[in-house]
Amino acid sequence: MVKAGYSTLKELISLDGKVSLVTGSGSGIGKAIAERFAEAGSSLMLIDIDKEKIDRLADTLKGGNVDVSTYKVDLSDKKAIDNLWEEISANPPDILVNNAGIYPFKKLEDVDEAFLDRVFDINLKSVFWMCQKMIMARNNRGGIIINISSIEAILPFKNGLYSYGPSKWGVLSLTRSLAKDFSNKAFRINAILPGGINTPGTRNAAKGVLKLQLGLIKDGVEFLSRLPMRRLGSPDEVARIALVLASDLSSYVTGAAIPVDGGFLSA
Ligand code: NAD
């Protein structure tokens, strides 16, 4: 007999009837999150600067009986974010995943204002605007926000990420301050700190590094040798934790920062 007030695991993990908005869902971690959320029953709003990639993903997900819509948005452009929310705020998502991000390497002396602005606009300011819009649009109904930060926020390891690390530290700080003020209004707001995940983005970054600097290749080798699990993670291994944070499995978790990093931060 099932105890009163007891939810089964199937009920706890289900996203049936929910709508999730995932940024940067054309590739890597964002794509894997969209796939798992669809499997858990959520309809999806897929956001990316690359419309072809999200349209392709939408075609595969639609076969699975969930509603999927795609929106081409350049998240570095505040007006584009305003326009998106004008379009969707009458039916805002229940779950927002701020995943889109860039991680360009640059020597300290070569960082100029345009470069710094671009990294901060995409990695931090867009997350701020998206959280602000979500909280205003959902008012007292609450909702779930998951922000993708990075282990680099806590433990800078690779050379040349002088703008990336601070942008991701900002994401962590924003997550915690919003959780403090809005968790009593039925929001749960958490961060994931991935590290060493094998994605198209990290593979492209590695190719760029090969062209640029031997020092950065050395960083990659050192990264693996101090990584307790001695292997890179898959995007789906991040998506599974996102699903826990999006679902009632984590109904008492807010303001948390969860590393998904093969143990890197502990080593
Ligand atoms: P990825 O490059 O494979 O995918 C990122 C997606 O974001 C792409 O589809 C890209 O088109 C989209 N995007 C980029 N700029 C955009 C913009 N201005 N507007 C809209 N969409 C844009 O990246 P990934 O490796 O899957 O990383 C996803 C997130 O995880 C990023 O925030 C990254 O910083 C973070 N992260 C990744 C790792 C890792 O090891 N892969 C580690 C720590 C943190």
Side-chain angles (χ1 to χ4, degrees):
M1 204 178 83
V2 179
K3 285 177 265 172
Y6 182 88
S7 303
T8 63
L9 269 180
K10 208 171 156 195
E11 287 163 347
L12 288 173
I13 206 166
S14 170
L15 299 183
D16 268 350
K18 305 283 185 195
V19 178
S20 306
L21 186 160
V22 185
T23 72
S25 38
S27 169
I29 293 170
K31 181 169 179 244
I33 290 174
E35 287 169 339
R36 280 295 181 188
F37 282 21
E39 190 183 346
S42 178
S43 290
L44 287 159
M45 294 172 167
L46 305 178
I47 309 284
D48 208 288
I49 195 168
D50 186 332
K51 182 85 159 51
E52 256 176 52
K53 283 199 254 171
I54 43 177
D55 282 344
R56 230 178 294 137
L57 176 62
D59 285 344
T60 64
L61 295 179
K62 276 175 190 157
N65 266 347
V66 289
D67 283 337
V68 186
S69 38
T70 60
Y71 304 82
K72 179 184 165 86
V73 180
D74 177 354
L75 291 161
S76 69
D77 178 359
K78 164 86 162 61
K79 279 206 192 80
I81 295 176
D82 290 343
N83 292 341
L84 168 73
W85 282 89
E86 224 164 83
E87 196 178 334
I88 68 173
S89 61
N91 293 300
D94 304 276
I95 297 162
L96 166 66
V97 183
N98 288 308
N99 160 79
I102 55 170
Y103 29 91
F105 294 85
K106 209 176 251 309
K107 284 188 195 162
L108 185 61
E109 59 269 34
D110 293 339
V111 173
D112 59 16
E113 200 170 359
F115 179 86
L116 193 61
D117 281 348
R118 181 154 179 75
V119 175
F120 274 54
D121 282 348
I122 297 175
N123 287 4
L124 176 58
K125 283 171 70 179
S126 80
V127 178
F128 185 96
W129 301 130
M130 292 294 285
C131 288
Q132 182 196 51
K133 297 283 184 189
M134 171 80 172
I135 290 170
M136 297 305 117
R138 291 199 57 92
N139 206 351
N140 286 329
R141 278 174 292 173
I144 304 286
I145 299 178
I146 300 167
N147 293 329
I148 306 297
S149 175
S150 169
I151 55 169
E152 278 285 332
I154 306 276
L155 182 61
F157 186 75
K158 295 190 175 139
N159 284 315
L161 288 178
Y162 311 106
S163 48
Y164 178 77
S167 72
K168 291 295 185 176
W169 178 259
V171 168
L172 202 52
S173 169
L174 174 66
T175 303
R176 290 162 59 103
S177 50
L178 292 175
K180 177 183 81 64
D181 284 352
F182 294 96
S183 296
N184 66 349
K185 300 190 172 74
F187 284 95
R188 288 196 299 105
I189 306 173
N190 292 292
I192 295 178
L193 280 58
I197 309 300
N198 189 358
T199 65
T202 46
R203 287 196 292 279
N204 284 340
K207 275 188 219 148
V209 163
L210 274 174
K211 277 190 229 141
L212 277 174
Q213 284 171 26
L214 281 170
L216 290 174
I217 301 173
K218 198 171 131 264
D219 281 354
V221 174
E222 281 170 6
F223 181 89
L224 267 182
S225 67
R226 79 169 263 175
L227 181 64
M229 290 185 77
R230 298 282 190 277
R231 69 164 176 88
L232 296 179
S234 72
D236 186 54
E237 287 176 305
V238 182
R240 293 177 218 163
I241 297 302
L243 178 55
V244 169
L245 289 176
S247 69
D248 283 347
L249 281 171
S250 59
S251 52
Y252 198 53
V253 179
T254 194
I258 303 187
V260 182
D261 67 345
F264 193 78
L265 285 185
S266 70

